[in-house]
Amino acid sequence: MALTGSLDATVESDRVSFTFTVANDGDDPVTLSFRDSCSADFAVLDSDEERWRWSHGRMFTQALQSESIDPGESVSYEGEWQQPETGTHTAVATLEADNQDCEAETEISV
């Protein structure tokens, strides 16, 4: 199973919007299993220090969920950092599936 991730960021004066796309580059369908409604998470790092995390302070529905991605298809997850700190940061998106790993990162300047 070959999952690849990409992370796009749109920087505005009062927010940064993230889109994390997870693509199935393999030949077989991939089923993602989640233990709650948090399918992906986003973090902003300054060097190795975490400045912001999308899931921090949020509550998620505690229910098992699954999602399938057919070969050649992709799914996207979105997050938003409101009132971002100025500077150059590394944004990291992580798939929160129990049975698959996928991560992507990009540099942003606010």
Side-chain angles (χ1 to χ4, degrees):
M1 292 180 235
L3 294 179
T4 57
S6 62
L7 178 58
D8 294 317
T10 303
V11 179
E12 298 178 31
S13 61
D14 62 341
R15 78 191 74 172
V16 179
S17 300
F18 299 104
T19 302
F20 177 37
T21 302
V22 177
N24 178 358
D25 293 334
D27 296 325
D28 298 312
V30 174
T31 299
L32 307 175
S33 298
F34 304 97
R35 11 171 200 205
D36 59 31
S37 61
C38 182
S39 302
D41 202 1
F42 302 88
V44 174
L45 310 174
D46 188 3
S47 296
D48 288 333
E49 186 176 335
E50 187 172 289
R51 296 290 184 193
W52 171 85
R53 180 168 289 277
W54 178 79
S55 63
H56 181 75
R58 294 177 184 258
M59 298 188 69
F60 299 96
T61 303
Q62 300 296 307
L64 297 176
Q65 300 181 46
S66 65
E67 183 171 9
S68 292
I69 309 174
D70 289 328
E73 298 293 323
S74 63
V75 294
S76 294
Y77 306 99
E78 297 183 356
E80 186 174 271
W81 182 22
Q82 296 184 7
Q83 301 172 344
E85 295 178 19
T86 58
T88 300
H89 311 285
T90 301
V92 180
T94 307
L95 184 66
E96 294 295 310
D98 289 336
N99 61 335
Q100 299 290 329
D101 293 321
C102 188
E103 189 173 278
E105 64 181 56
T106 190
E107 295 295 316
I108 58 172
S109 286
V110 179

